[in-house]
Amino acid sequence: MLEAFPLMPDQIVSEDGQLQPGETVTHTPAELRALWEQMTLVREFDRKLVTLLRQGRTTFYAQASGMEATQVGIATGLRPGHDWVWGYYRDQGVALGLGMTLHEIVSQMLGSNSDLNKGRQMPHHAGSARCRFVSGSSSIASQLPPAVGMAMAQAYLGLDEVTVVTFGDGATSEGDWHAALNMAAVQGAPCLFICENNQWAISTPVTRQTRAESIHIKARAYGMPGYFVDGNDVLAVQRAVRTLADGIRAGSGPVLLECLTYRVGSHSNADADAEKSYRTRDEVNAWTSRDPIERLERFMARQGQEIGAQDRAQVVARIHRDVEDAVARAEASGQPDWRTMLEDVYADTPSHLRHAYEDLRQEYGSGGTK
Ligand SMILES: Cc1ncc(C[n+]2csc(CCOP(=O)(O)OP(=O)(O)O)c2C)c(N)n1
Ligand SMILES: [Mg+2]
Protein backbone atom coordinates (compact mmCIF):
# COMPACT_ATOMS: atom_id res chain seq x y z
CA MET A 1 0.00 0.00 0.00
CA LEU A 2 1.39 3.35 -0.98
CA GLU A 3 0.89 6.05 1.57
CA ALA A 4 -0.41 9.44 0.40
CA PHE A 5 1.49 12.58 1.44
CA PRO A 6 4.45 10.82 3.11
CA LEU A 7 7.32 12.78 4.61
CA MET A 8 9.97 10.64 2.95
CA PRO A 9 9.96 9.21 -0.57
CA ASP A 10 8.96 5.56 -0.90
CA GLN A 11 11.97 3.32 -1.40
CA ILE A 12 12.41 -0.42 -1.98
CA VAL A 13 16.20 -0.46 -2.42
CA SER A 14 18.44 1.77 -0.31
CA GLU A 15 21.33 3.70 -1.86
CA ASP A 16 23.79 0.99 -0.95
CA GLY A 17 21.64 -1.62 -2.67
CA GLN A 18 19.93 -3.17 0.37
CA LEU A 19 16.33 -4.20 0.44
CA GLN A 20 14.40 -1.94 2.81
CA PRO A 21 12.89 -3.60 5.91
CA GLY A 22 9.54 -5.21 5.14
CA GLU A 23 10.27 -5.48 1.41
CA THR A 24 10.76 -8.73 -0.49
CA VAL A 25 12.40 -9.48 -3.84
CA THR A 26 9.49 -9.64 -6.29
CA HIS A 27 11.48 -9.62 -9.56
CA THR A 28 13.05 -12.64 -11.25
CA PRO A 29 16.75 -12.38 -12.22
CA ALA A 30 15.64 -11.99 -15.85
CA GLU A 31 13.34 -9.09 -14.93
CA LEU A 32 16.09 -7.34 -12.96
CA ARG A 33 18.49 -7.85 -15.85
CA ALA A 34 15.94 -6.39 -18.29
CA LEU A 35 15.54 -3.28 -16.13
CA TRP A 36 19.33 -2.89 -15.92
CA GLU A 37 19.72 -3.23 -19.69
CA GLN A 38 16.92 -0.74 -20.31
CA MET A 39 18.49 1.84 -17.97
CA THR A 40 21.87 1.26 -19.58
CA LEU A 41 20.28 1.83 -22.99
CA VAL A 42 18.94 5.22 -21.85
CA ARG A 43 22.34 6.20 -20.40
CA GLU A 44 24.30 5.19 -23.50
CA PHE A 45 21.74 6.70 -25.87
CA ASP A 46 22.43 10.01 -24.11
CA ARG A 47 26.17 9.63 -24.62
CA LYS A 48 25.84 8.83 -28.30
CA LEU A 49 23.34 11.62 -28.98
CA VAL A 50 25.50 14.23 -27.25
CA THR A 51 28.31 13.18 -29.59
CA LEU A 52 25.98 13.43 -32.60
CA LEU A 53 25.00 16.88 -31.48
CA ARG A 54 28.62 18.00 -31.14
CA GLN A 55 29.26 16.70 -34.63
CA GLY A 56 26.52 19.02 -35.88
CA ARG A 57 24.40 16.14 -37.14
CA THR A 58 21.40 17.06 -34.99
CA THR A 59 20.42 20.37 -33.46
CA PHE A 60 18.74 19.87 -30.10
CA TYR A 61 19.07 17.34 -27.32
CA ALA A 62 18.13 17.21 -23.63
CA GLN A 63 19.91 14.56 -21.57
CA ALA A 64 18.14 12.29 -19.12
CA SER A 65 21.35 11.17 -17.46
CA GLY A 66 20.72 10.51 -13.76
CA MET A 67 16.97 10.12 -14.36
CA GLU A 68 16.99 6.61 -15.86
CA ALA A 69 15.28 4.93 -12.90
CA THR A 70 12.39 7.41 -13.03
CA GLN A 71 11.85 7.06 -16.77
CA VAL A 72 12.31 3.31 -17.02
CA GLY A 73 10.18 2.83 -13.90
CA ILE A 74 7.37 4.89 -15.45
CA ALA A 75 7.42 3.02 -18.77
CA THR A 76 7.62 -0.46 -17.25
CA GLY A 77 4.92 0.31 -14.68
CA LEU A 78 2.40 0.89 -17.48
CA ARG A 79 0.79 -1.33 -20.09
CA PRO A 80 2.58 -0.27 -23.29
CA GLY A 81 0.29 0.27 -26.26
CA HIS A 82 -2.71 0.42 -23.93
CA ASP A 83 -2.32 3.40 -21.63
CA TRP A 84 -1.66 6.79 -23.25
CA VAL A 85 1.40 8.78 -22.24
CA TRP A 86 1.84 12.51 -22.77
CA GLY A 87 5.52 13.03 -22.18
CA TYR A 88 7.85 15.98 -22.41
CA TYR A 89 11.10 16.71 -24.22
CA ARG A 90 13.39 14.88 -21.76
CA ASP A 91 11.41 11.61 -21.90
CA GLN A 92 13.49 9.54 -24.32
CA GLY A 93 13.77 6.90 -21.57
CA VAL A 94 9.97 6.73 -21.37
CA ALA A 95 9.64 6.55 -25.17
CA LEU A 96 12.21 3.75 -25.42
CA GLY A 97 10.59 1.91 -22.53
CA LEU A 98 7.19 2.07 -24.22
CA GLY A 99 8.65 0.42 -27.30
CA MET A 100 9.66 3.26 -29.62
CA THR A 101 12.67 2.03 -31.58
CA LEU A 102 16.04 3.77 -31.72
CA HIS A 103 15.46 4.23 -35.44
CA GLU A 104 12.11 5.98 -34.91
CA ILE A 105 13.52 8.30 -32.26
CA VAL A 106 16.70 9.12 -34.15
CA SER A 107 14.76 9.68 -37.40
CA GLN A 108 12.60 12.23 -35.60
CA MET A 109 15.70 13.97 -34.25
CA LEU A 110 17.22 14.20 -37.69
CA GLY A 111 13.92 15.07 -39.40
CA SER A 112 14.76 12.47 -42.01
CA ASN A 113 12.51 10.77 -44.54
CA SER A 114 12.19 7.85 -42.14
CA ASP A 115 10.65 10.14 -39.48
CA LEU A 116 7.06 9.23 -38.58
CA ASN A 117 6.35 12.99 -38.37
CA LYS A 118 8.01 13.69 -41.73
CA GLY A 119 10.38 16.22 -40.19
CA ARG A 120 7.56 18.54 -39.12
CA GLN A 121 8.25 18.63 -35.43
CA MET A 122 11.06 20.24 -33.47
CA PRO A 123 14.02 17.83 -33.11
CA HIS A 124 13.92 15.60 -30.04
CA HIS A 125 10.11 15.60 -29.75
CA ALA A 126 9.40 12.05 -30.87
CA GLY A 127 5.98 10.44 -30.65
CA SER A 128 4.36 7.22 -31.78
CA ALA A 129 0.70 6.32 -32.17
CA ARG A 130 1.66 2.62 -32.04
CA CYS A 131 3.24 3.12 -28.60
CA ARG A 132 0.58 5.61 -27.51
CA PHE A 133 3.32 8.09 -26.73
CA VAL A 134 2.15 11.55 -27.76
CA SER A 135 4.63 13.81 -29.52
CA GLY A 136 5.47 16.55 -27.02
CA SER A 137 5.40 20.28 -27.18
CA SER A 138 8.31 22.37 -25.94
CA SER A 139 5.96 24.83 -24.26
CA ILE A 140 6.27 23.88 -20.63
CA ALA A 141 3.13 22.25 -19.15
CA SER A 142 1.10 22.64 -22.34
CA GLN A 143 0.70 18.85 -22.52
CA LEU A 144 -1.34 18.74 -19.30
CA PRO A 145 -4.72 20.23 -20.38
CA PRO A 146 -5.09 18.01 -23.49
CA ALA A 147 -3.97 14.99 -21.46
CA VAL A 148 -6.80 15.66 -19.01
CA GLY A 149 -9.17 16.00 -21.96
CA MET A 150 -8.05 12.60 -23.19
CA ALA A 151 -8.58 11.08 -19.74
CA MET A 152 -12.08 12.57 -19.60
CA ALA A 153 -12.82 11.04 -23.01
CA GLN A 154 -11.57 7.63 -21.82
CA ALA A 155 -13.94 7.83 -18.85
CA TYR A 156 -16.83 9.01 -21.05
CA LEU A 157 -16.28 6.14 -23.49
CA GLY A 158 -15.89 3.63 -20.64
CA LEU A 159 -12.42 2.53 -21.83
CA ASP A 160 -10.12 0.45 -19.65
CA GLU A 161 -7.25 2.91 -20.14
CA VAL A 162 -5.56 5.60 -18.14
CA THR A 163 -3.76 8.71 -19.34
CA VAL A 164 -0.35 9.43 -17.90
CA VAL A 165 1.20 12.85 -18.21
CA THR A 166 4.78 13.64 -17.22
CA PHE A 167 6.46 16.98 -16.60
CA GLY A 168 9.33 18.57 -14.74
CA ASP A 169 9.41 20.46 -11.44
CA GLY A 170 9.52 23.76 -13.35
CA ALA A 171 6.25 22.90 -15.10
CA THR A 172 4.39 23.05 -11.78
CA SER A 173 4.62 26.86 -11.82
CA GLU A 174 2.69 27.17 -15.08
CA GLY A 175 -0.97 28.14 -15.22
CA ASP A 176 -1.70 25.13 -17.44
CA TRP A 177 -0.49 22.83 -14.68
CA HIS A 178 -2.92 24.22 -12.11
CA ALA A 179 -5.84 24.36 -14.54
CA ALA A 180 -5.23 20.75 -15.55
CA LEU A 181 -5.05 19.35 -12.02
CA ASN A 182 -8.15 21.22 -10.99
CA MET A 183 -10.15 20.09 -14.02
CA ALA A 184 -9.03 16.48 -13.62
CA ALA A 185 -10.04 16.42 -9.96
CA VAL A 186 -13.41 18.07 -10.54
CA GLN A 187 -14.17 15.70 -13.42
CA GLY A 188 -12.70 12.58 -11.76
CA ALA A 189 -10.59 12.05 -14.89
CA PRO A 190 -8.52 8.82 -14.95
CA CYS A 191 -5.25 10.71 -15.15
CA LEU A 192 -1.90 9.95 -13.52
CA PHE A 193 0.19 13.10 -13.17
CA ILE A 194 3.89 12.35 -12.77
CA CYS A 195 6.44 14.98 -11.83
CA GLU A 196 10.01 14.08 -12.76
CA ASN A 197 11.47 16.33 -10.10
CA ASN A 198 15.11 16.62 -11.20
CA GLN A 199 15.48 19.65 -8.90
CA TRP A 200 16.37 22.17 -11.61
CA ALA A 201 14.46 24.06 -14.29
CA ILE A 202 17.40 25.18 -16.41
CA SER A 203 19.09 27.43 -13.80
CA THR A 204 16.19 27.73 -11.34
CA PRO A 205 16.46 25.33 -8.39
CA VAL A 206 13.27 23.72 -7.11
CA THR A 207 13.70 25.67 -3.86
CA ARG A 208 13.01 28.84 -5.87
CA GLN A 209 10.26 27.23 -7.91
CA THR A 210 7.84 26.91 -5.02
CA ARG A 211 7.46 27.74 -1.33
CA ALA A 212 5.54 24.50 -0.86
CA GLU A 213 7.44 21.84 1.09
CA SER A 214 7.25 19.46 -1.87
CA ILE A 215 5.57 19.06 -5.25
CA HIS A 216 3.26 16.18 -4.33
CA ILE A 217 1.80 18.14 -1.38
CA LYS A 218 0.18 20.48 -3.93
CA ALA A 219 -2.27 17.70 -4.84
CA ARG A 220 -4.08 18.32 -1.55
CA ALA A 221 -5.26 21.72 -2.74
CA TYR A 222 -6.97 20.11 -5.73
CA GLY A 223 -8.59 17.34 -3.69
CA MET A 224 -6.53 14.45 -4.96
CA PRO A 225 -3.88 12.28 -3.27
CA GLY A 226 -0.19 13.06 -3.71
CA TYR A 227 2.47 10.34 -3.63
CA PHE A 228 6.22 10.57 -3.31
CA VAL A 229 8.80 8.09 -4.51
CA ASP A 230 12.58 7.87 -4.71
CA GLY A 231 13.10 8.52 -8.42
CA ASN A 232 16.52 6.86 -8.37
CA ASP A 233 15.02 3.55 -7.25
CA VAL A 234 13.63 1.90 -10.37
CA LEU A 235 11.76 -0.78 -8.42
CA ALA A 236 10.01 1.81 -6.25
CA VAL A 237 9.04 3.96 -9.25
CA GLN A 238 7.74 0.96 -11.18
CA ARG A 239 5.67 -0.23 -8.21
CA ALA A 240 4.23 3.23 -7.58
CA VAL A 241 3.26 3.73 -11.22
CA ARG A 242 1.74 0.25 -11.49
CA THR A 243 -0.19 0.58 -8.22
CA LEU A 244 -1.49 4.06 -9.00
CA ALA A 245 -2.42 3.21 -12.61
CA ASP A 246 -4.29 0.11 -11.40
CA GLY A 247 -6.05 2.23 -8.78
CA ILE A 248 -7.09 4.79 -11.38
CA ARG A 249 -8.44 2.00 -13.60
CA ALA A 250 -10.43 0.78 -10.60
CA GLY A 251 -11.96 4.26 -10.24
CA SER A 252 -9.73 6.15 -7.77
CA GLY A 253 -9.78 9.31 -9.87
CA PRO A 254 -6.67 11.35 -10.66
CA VAL A 255 -3.50 11.28 -8.55
CA LEU A 256 -0.18 13.10 -8.48
CA LEU A 257 3.11 11.22 -8.16
CA GLU A 258 6.40 13.01 -7.52
CA CYS A 259 9.62 11.15 -8.39
CA LEU A 260 12.62 12.72 -6.69
CA THR A 261 15.66 12.48 -8.92
CA TYR A 262 18.41 14.70 -10.30
CA ARG A 263 19.53 15.99 -13.70
CA VAL A 264 23.22 15.12 -13.75
CA GLY A 265 23.84 16.38 -17.29
CA SER A 266 23.25 19.84 -18.70
CA HIS A 267 19.70 21.11 -19.31
CA SER A 268 20.13 20.91 -23.08
CA ASN A 269 22.77 21.85 -25.60
CA ALA A 270 21.67 25.47 -25.08
CA ASP A 271 22.85 25.31 -21.47
CA ALA A 272 26.29 26.34 -20.21
CA ASP A 273 26.01 24.18 -17.13
CA ALA A 274 29.63 23.11 -16.94
CA GLU A 275 31.21 26.44 -17.85
CA LYS A 276 29.02 29.10 -16.22
CA SER A 277 27.66 27.15 -13.39
CA TYR A 278 24.45 27.98 -11.61
CA ARG A 279 25.08 24.96 -9.39
CA THR A 280 28.15 23.74 -7.57
CA ARG A 281 30.22 20.82 -8.82
CA ASP A 282 29.95 19.40 -5.30
CA GLU A 283 26.19 19.16 -5.71
CA VAL A 284 26.47 17.47 -9.10
CA ASN A 285 29.13 15.08 -7.81
CA ALA A 286 27.02 14.21 -4.76
CA TRP A 287 24.15 13.16 -7.03
CA THR A 288 26.44 11.42 -9.50
CA SER A 289 27.51 9.21 -6.61
CA ARG A 290 23.82 8.35 -6.03
CA ASP A 291 23.65 6.87 -9.52
CA PRO A 292 20.41 4.91 -10.16
CA ILE A 293 22.08 2.30 -12.39
CA GLU A 294 24.82 1.59 -9.85
CA ARG A 295 22.17 1.23 -7.15
CA LEU A 296 20.39 -1.45 -9.16
CA GLU A 297 23.75 -3.14 -9.83
CA ARG A 298 24.53 -3.19 -6.10
CA PHE A 299 21.09 -4.67 -5.40
CA MET A 300 21.57 -7.32 -8.09
CA ALA A 301 25.02 -8.18 -6.75
CA ARG A 302 23.47 -8.79 -3.33
CA GLN A 303 21.09 -11.26 -5.02
CA GLY A 304 24.13 -13.05 -6.51
CA GLN A 305 23.63 -11.42 -9.91
CA GLU A 306 26.81 -9.40 -10.29
CA ILE A 307 27.35 -7.64 -13.63
CA GLY A 308 30.94 -8.30 -14.68
CA ALA A 309 33.10 -5.72 -16.45
CA GLN A 310 33.20 -7.75 -19.66
CA ASP A 311 29.44 -8.28 -19.63
CA ARG A 312 28.85 -4.56 -19.15
CA ALA A 313 31.31 -3.64 -21.90
CA GLN A 314 29.55 -6.00 -24.31
CA VAL A 315 26.12 -4.55 -23.55
CA VAL A 316 27.43 -0.99 -23.95
CA ALA A 317 29.18 -1.86 -27.23
CA ARG A 318 25.99 -3.45 -28.58
CA ILE A 319 23.95 -0.36 -27.69
CA HIS A 320 26.50 1.91 -29.37
CA ARG A 321 26.36 -0.23 -32.52
CA ASP A 322 22.54 -0.16 -32.47
CA VAL A 323 22.50 3.64 -32.15
CA GLU A 324 25.09 4.02 -34.93
CA ASP A 325 23.03 1.72 -37.14
CA ALA A 326 19.84 3.71 -36.40
CA VAL A 327 21.61 6.98 -37.27
CA ALA A 328 23.12 5.57 -40.47
CA ARG A 329 19.73 4.27 -41.64
CA ALA A 330 18.00 7.56 -40.80
CA GLU A 331 20.63 9.62 -42.61
CA ALA A 332 20.54 7.29 -45.63
CA SER A 333 16.77 7.81 -45.97
CA GLY A 334 17.39 11.43 -46.95
CA GLN A 335 15.48 14.62 -46.17
CA PRO A 336 11.74 14.99 -46.79
CA ASP A 337 10.83 16.90 -49.95
CA TRP A 338 9.55 20.37 -49.02
CA ARG A 339 6.63 19.90 -51.40
CA THR A 340 5.10 17.34 -49.00
CA MET A 341 4.96 19.79 -46.12
CA LEU A 342 1.21 20.39 -46.21
CA GLU A 343 0.21 16.84 -47.03
CA ASP A 344 -2.06 15.23 -44.44
CA VAL A 345 -1.87 18.25 -42.15
CA TYR A 346 -5.28 19.84 -42.83
CA ALA A 347 -8.51 18.43 -44.24
CA ASP A 348 -8.90 21.86 -45.90
CA THR A 349 -5.65 23.76 -46.16
CA PRO A 350 -6.21 27.39 -45.03
CA SER A 351 -5.96 29.87 -47.90
CA HIS A 352 -2.96 31.79 -46.51
CA LEU A 353 -0.93 28.55 -46.42
CA ARG A 354 -2.06 27.61 -49.93
CA HIS A 355 -0.86 31.02 -51.13
CA ALA A 356 2.47 30.71 -49.31
CA TYR A 357 2.94 27.25 -50.77
CA GLU A 358 2.13 28.56 -54.27
CA ASP A 359 4.71 31.36 -53.86
CA LEU A 360 7.33 28.77 -52.87
CA ARG A 361 6.47 26.60 -55.81
CA GLN A 362 6.79 29.58 -58.19
CA GLU A 363 10.19 30.44 -56.74
CA TYR A 364 11.66 26.96 -56.54
CA GLY A 365 9.66 25.35 -59.30
CA SER A 366 9.53 21.63 -59.66
CA GLY A 367 13.32 21.17 -59.58
CA GLY A 368 15.24 19.53 -56.76
CA THR A 369 14.47 20.02 -53.11
CA LYS A 370 15.79 23.32 -51.76
C1 LIG B 1 5.98 28.18 -21.44
C2 LIG B 1 7.48 28.07 -21.48
N1 LIG B 1 8.23 28.91 -20.72
C3 LIG B 1 9.57 28.81 -20.74
C4 LIG B 1 10.20 27.88 -21.54
C5 LIG B 1 11.72 27.76 -21.54
N2 LIG B 1 12.11 26.53 -20.85
C6 LIG B 1 12.45 25.42 -21.54
S1 LIG B 1 12.81 24.13 -20.53
C7 LIG B 1 12.54 25.07 -19.15
C8 LIG B 1 12.73 24.47 -17.78
C9 LIG B 1 11.75 23.40 -17.46
O1 LIG B 1 12.13 22.78 -16.28
P1 LIG B 1 11.39 21.51 -15.73
O2 LIG B 1 9.93 21.63 -15.95
O3 LIG B 1 11.85 21.29 -14.35
O4 LIG B 1 11.90 20.34 -16.68
P2 LIG B 1 13.40 19.82 -16.88
O5 LIG B 1 13.94 20.55 -18.09
O6 LIG B 1 14.16 20.11 -15.65
O7 LIG B 1 13.31 18.35 -17.15
C10 LIG B 1 12.17 26.36 -19.49
C11 LIG B 1 11.89 27.42 -18.51
C12 LIG B 1 9.39 27.05 -22.33
N3 LIG B 1 9.89 26.10 -23.13
N4 LIG B 1 8.03 27.15 -22.28
MG1 LIG C 1 13.42 20.08 -13.68
Side-chain angles (χ1 to χ4, degrees):
M1 261 290 282
L2 272 176
E3 184 200 340
F5 305 116
L7 282 179
M8 298 297 288
D10 187 54
Q11 205 179 56
I12 294 179
V13 177
S14 69
E15 277 178 29
D16 59 0
Q18 297 216 48
L19 208 55
Q20 288 289 13
E23 299 289 354
T24 49
V25 183
T26 51
H27 290 65
T28 63
E31 286 168 342
L32 291 176
R33 171 80 189 197
L35 286 172
W36 176 79
E37 288 198 11
Q38 195 63 28
M39 288 166 74
T40 305
L41 170 66
V42 180
R43 173 73 48 92
E44 297 306 319
F45 183 68
D46 254 11
R47 284 200 223 285
K48 293 296 280 181
L49 265 291
V50 168
T51 306
L52 202 72
L53 190 69
R54 292 188 178 144
Q55 290 170 341
R57 288 155 77 194
T58 186
T59 51
F60 179 73
Y61 189 71
Q63 299 174 53
S65 188
M67 300 166 65
E68 294 87 352
T70 290
Q71 297 195 354
V72 171
I74 291 171
T76 57
L78 296 172
R79 299 181 301 173
H82 197 88
D83 299 318
W84 280 89
V85 181
W86 293 68
Y88 78 116
Y89 50 81
R90 204 180 297 287
D91 269 339
Q92 54 271 26
V94 178
L96 285 165
L98 292 174
M100 277 199 80
T101 65
L102 288 170
H103 184 241
E104 286 169 339
I105 295 177
V106 165
S107 296
Q108 197 285 326
M109 286 182 181
L110 300 184
S112 62
N113 254 330
S114 50
D115 172 22
L116 294 169
N117 296 325
K118 304 186 181 175
R120 292 170 186 165
Q121 167 65 301
M122 181 172 163
H124 194 29
H125 286 66
S128 155
R130 174 176 54 81
C131 299
R132 299 199 162 186
F133 183 70
V134 181
S135 174
S137 158
S138 248
S139 299
I140 306 298
S142 62
Q143 71 274 28
L144 279 97
V148 172
M150 176 180 271
M152 286 165 59
Q154 286 165 329
Y156 180 76
L157 296 171
L159 301 176
D160 173 35
E161 298 169 1
V162 301
T163 295
V164 179
V165 57
T166 65
F167 45 86
D169 40 297
T172 65
S173 298
E174 291 286 348
D176 274 351
W177 190 85
H178 299 276
L181 267 82
N182 188 60
M183 185 77 167
V186 168
Q187 296 290 334
C191 191
L192 171 53
F193 296 93
I194 304 181
C195 180
E196 299 183 29
N197 179 2
N198 61 15
Q199 307 188 50
W200 287 92
I202 311 184
S203 54
T204 304
V206 69
T207 47
R208 299 201 59 189
Q209 198 66 249
T210 177
R211 285 285 183 196
E213 67 201 63
S214 66
I215 301 291
H216 66 278
I217 197 80
K218 290 171 184 255
R220 198 188 286 281
Y222 299 100
M224 67 171 84
Y227 297 91
F228 193 25
V229 70
D230 183 333
N232 281 9
D233 178 354
V234 67
L235 300 186
V237 177
Q238 186 190 58
R239 175 171 73 182
V241 170
R242 192 171 282 159
T243 306
L244 296 176
D246 284 349
I248 291 171
R249 256 179 236 114
S252 75
V255 306
L256 171 63
L257 172 67
E258 174 183 0
C259 304
L260 184 66
T261 181
Y262 191 80
R263 163 168 67 71
V264 167
S266 61
H267 168 75
S268 73
N269 48 306
D271 178 29
D273 164 55
E275 302 85 42
K276 250 201 282 168
S277 203
Y278 42 78
R279 55 185 186 177
T280 66
R281 289 303 97 186
D282 284 351
E283 179 187 306
V284 178
N285 293 339
W287 278 91
T288 305
S289 70
R290 303 167 85 174
D291 189 280
I293 300 181
E294 286 173 18
R295 186 187 313 192
L296 182 61
E297 287 176 1
R298 282 196 282 272
F299 175 67
M300 289 168 71
R302 283 178 194 274
Q303 316 304 314
Q305 215 184 334
E306 192 143 2
I307 310 262
Q310 206 189 343
D311 183 8
R312 182 185 292 104
Q314 275 171 358
V315 170
V316 168
R318 193 192 66 224
I319 294 168
H320 287 196
R321 273 198 310 277
D322 288 350
V323 176
E324 283 158 20
D325 175 60
V327 172
R329 283 167 54 217
E331 286 181 334
S333 75
Q335 298 287 311
D337 189 316
W338 67 265
R339 279 164 294 231
T340 65
M341 74 175 139
L342 291 178
E343 280 173 15
D344 57 44
V345 177
Y346 297 95
D348 293 310
T349 303
S351 60
H352 68 285
L353 288 178
R354 264 189 281 120
H355 291 143
Y357 181 81
E358 196 46 41
D359 288 348
L360 274 174
R361 213 182 55 75
Q362 300 251 332
E363 188 157 343
Y364 293 110
S366 53
T369 332
K370 301 236 172 140

